[in-house]
Amino acid sequence: MRIVIAGGHGQIALRLERLLAGRGNDVAGLIRDPDQAEDLRAVGADPLVHDLEKASVEEIAHAMQGADAAVFAAGAGPGSGTARKETVDHGAAVLFADAAERAGVRRYLVVSSMGATATPPVGTDPVFAVYLRAKAAADADIQARTGLDWTILRPGHLTNDPGTGRVKLAASTGPAPVSRDDVAAVLAELIDTPSTAGLTLELIEGHTPVAVAVKDVAGN
């Protein structure tokens, strides 16, 4: 398979690129900083330099030509301020989805966030509330599309602990941590499991092997 990943230098994306390339896939990661290119090559991915806040749909669609799947793993990141939550976490996700449709790439996965909602709980940090609303708006846009075989993954609190290969994956799990290693492993399995299309899933640490957890939610 050829898989194109937005946010290709992110912590989850680099782990996912290594996994996918190790399975013999052709992997490309979109980055806006050319200085990051060698990091992608080191994990087996082809770096594609595009700024999703400035690029056109046509430009990104061209970069996605021939892909079998697309993964939106981009994010404005901590300390980015409220404006970029909208332009990246919402706007870039929509643009990337538009480009996937134009390029004929039906399989589309989104790394969202647990708690993504248009009405964050009272007392939520104001910047984080903007982030959650941006993620919720992006998810709603994707969920309304019939031109994509989408799956939305909403991990719990992300850690850099070593992955265990065991998770809890369901429509609703409740909040808990999950390692970035295990998020990447679940994404790789979801790509290979097209029957998970149309599902919005929460992910936390758990006791079920990743492959089994994905098969269970897919009904396989």
Side-chain angles (χ1 to χ4, degrees):
M1 296 178 68
R2 176 169 173 78
I3 300 135
V4 178
I5 301 171
H9 195 259
Q11 294 187 68
I12 290 173
L14 287 168
R15 289 166 166 82
L16 178 60
E17 287 156 359
R18 186 187 297 276
L19 279 175
L20 294 173
R23 295 180 180 187
N25 295 291
D26 178 8
V27 186
L30 269 61
I31 54 174
R32 63 175 185 158
D33 182 355
D35 291 341
Q36 297 171 341
E38 284 306 315
D39 292 338
L40 270 70
R41 294 189 184 102
V43 297
D46 179 25
L48 303 175
V49 181
H50 296 283
D51 187 340
L52 286 172
E53 291 178 275
K54 298 177 181 177
S56 67
V57 171
E58 291 77 12
E59 179 185 345
I60 303 304
H62 179 74
M64 297 171 76
Q65 287 293 331
D68 300 290
V71 181
F72 184 81
S80 58
T82 57
R84 295 195 67 236
K85 307 302 184 194
E86 178 58 33
T87 57
V88 178
D89 294 291
H90 178 202
V94 172
L95 182 142
F96 197 59
D98 289 342
E101 288 190 324
R102 188 159 302 187
V105 183
R106 289 198 60 92
R107 191 73 176 109
Y108 189 87
L109 285 81
V110 177
V111 182
S112 183
S113 174
M114 187 173 292
T117 174
T119 54
V122 174
T124 302
D125 173 80
V127 175
F128 191 60
V130 172
Y131 166 76
L132 292 176
R133 286 194 290 268
K135 280 293 191 183
D139 290 356
D141 179 279
I142 303 307
Q143 289 163 335
R145 294 178 186 246
T146 58
L148 296 175
D149 296 328
W150 54 264
T151 304
I152 294 172
L153 184 65
R154 293 175 168 172
H157 174 69
L158 297 169
T159 75
N160 287 324
D161 296 337
T164 65
R166 293 178 177 272
V167 298
K168 182 176 181 180
L169 181 68
S172 178
T173 63
V178 64
S179 74
R180 289 179 172 89
D181 286 349
D182 287 333
V183 175
V186 168
L187 286 166
E189 288 295 327
L190 290 171
I191 290 170
D192 285 340
T193 312
S195 52
T196 57
L199 299 180
T200 299
L201 302 166
E202 293 184 352
L203 173 67
I204 58 174
E205 61 189 11
H207 303 288
T208 306
V210 166
V212 175
V214 172
K215 287 179 180 178
D216 285 349
V217 297
N220 294 344

